[in-house]
Amino acid sequence: DQQVKQNSPSLSVQEGRISILNCDYTNSMFDYFLWYKKYPAEGPTFLISISSIKDKNEDVSFTVFLDKSAKHLSLHIVPSQPGDSAVYFCAARFGNEKLTFGTGTRLTIIP
Amino acid sequence: EAGVAQSPRYKIIEKRQSVAFWCNPISGHATLYWYQQILGQGPKLLIQFQNNGVVDDSQLPKDRFSAERLKGVDSTLKIQPAKLEDSAVYLCASSTGTFVYEQYFGPGTRLTVT
């Protein structure tokens, strides 16, 4: 039972444009959501998070949006740069339960 | 500050052999996690320690996997005997506490079972 889904395995975006990565979840009890970024041969690195009491959180060039009614969150990267090419994982958590990760989306920024 | 350290980085073994992975978390981090990431999937929690006690091992295949965190610092994860389906990247992560959401990951150990 995949409770956190990233339906796009890959995404290509032109440098300078906006990248939008999507994530859907099924468990309405999730109350905290995170995005991680992973380069090859490295572990995931925390990017940004959002609590279920908010619908938006911004940090420099990253913005996460949460739509609880649709059980959907998205990560916006503006502007997209070559260094943003990586695999992005969304993850969700309920209380102090374990993190549940999505399957990841490979983002490629085209120069 | 130094990050989470893991060794070895790569390991190739034959099925039915045993293997062990080592993790040293960030200094002062009380909570340590072991994840298994199979190709094309997201990381899946195997076991979580708070200091040297187990918080969650519900997804650890206990017939072949074992883990310990003696003295509440570094940790080892062992597989004995290995199966082909154990081929994956094993990630170690740490955080300052169980109720802290941000986890810091090590580079992982890529295990190939032939």
Side-chain angles (χ1 to χ4, degrees):
Chain A
D1 176 28
Q2 191 70 27
Q3 296 189 67
V4 179
K5 303 176 185 178
Q6 293 177 258
N7 293 318
S8 298
S10 63
L11 176 68
S12 294
V13 175
Q14 206 76 29
E15 182 178 359
R17 298 287 186 97
I18 182 172
S19 294
I20 300 176
L21 296 107
N22 294 304
C23 180
D24 297 296
Y25 61 96
T26 57
N27 188 345
S28 58
M29 298 295 288
F30 286 143
D31 59 5
Y32 204 83
F33 305 87
L34 305 89
W35 283 95
Y36 280 83
K37 175 180 181 179
K38 185 182 183 304
Y39 292 120
E42 294 184 15
T45 303
F46 170 75
L47 260 184
I48 191 169
S49 62
I50 187 167
S51 164
S52 60
I53 62 173
K54 295 186 176 181
D55 54 19
K56 178 182 175 181
N57 189 26
E58 295 178 275
D59 183 13
V60 192
S61 55
F62 300 100
T63 303
V64 57
F65 295 91
L66 176 63
D67 182 344
K68 290 186 289 295
S69 62
K71 295 193 182 67
H72 177 84
L73 68 156
S74 61
L75 176 68
H76 293 213
I77 306 173
V78 181
S80 301
Q81 301 175 1
D84 295 324
S85 294
V87 177
Y88 290 78
F89 292 97
C90 66
R93 181 172 179 171
F94 163 56
N96 65 339
E97 296 291 313
K98 58 182 172 289
L99 280 180
T100 300
F101 284 84
T103 53
T105 296
R106 181 178 301 278
L107 175 65
T108 302
I109 305 303
I110 304 166
Chain B
E1 86 190 336
V4 176
Q6 289 188 248
S7 68
R9 294 295 310 275
Y10 306 91
K11 190 75 176 177
I12 301 173
I13 62 172
E14 294 182 353
K15 59 183 178 184
R16 291 186 289 275
Q17 287 187 323
S18 62
V19 64
F21 312 126
W22 174 82
C23 172
N24 191 24
I26 293 173
S27 177
H29 280 196
T31 307
L32 184 147
Y33 313 80
W34 282 103
Y35 287 87
Q36 179 192 60
Q37 185 179 11
I38 293 173
L39 187 65
Q41 299 181 21
K44 182 183 83 171
L45 181 70
L46 291 176
I47 188 167
Q48 177 183 340
F49 291 95
Q50 177 70 17
N51 295 310
N52 60 348
V54 175
V55 173
D56 184 346
D57 64 355
S58 58
Q59 299 188 110
L60 185 74
K62 299 181 184 65
D63 58 334
R64 297 183 301 106
F65 286 64
S66 64
E68 61 182 11
R69 190 183 184 198
L70 300 176
K71 301 179 183 178
V73 181
D74 56 354
S75 175
T76 55
L77 176 70
K78 298 179 182 177
I79 308 175
Q80 182 179 11
K83 293 185 175 181
L84 296 176
E85 58 261 37
D86 298 331
S87 294
V89 175
Y90 291 84
L91 294 161
C92 179
S94 69
S95 66
T96 56
T98 302
F99 295 94
V100 173
Y101 295 106
E102 295 178 24
Q103 298 178 16
Y104 297 85
F105 285 82
T109 297
R110 179 175 296 278
L111 173 67
T112 302
V113 182
T114 63

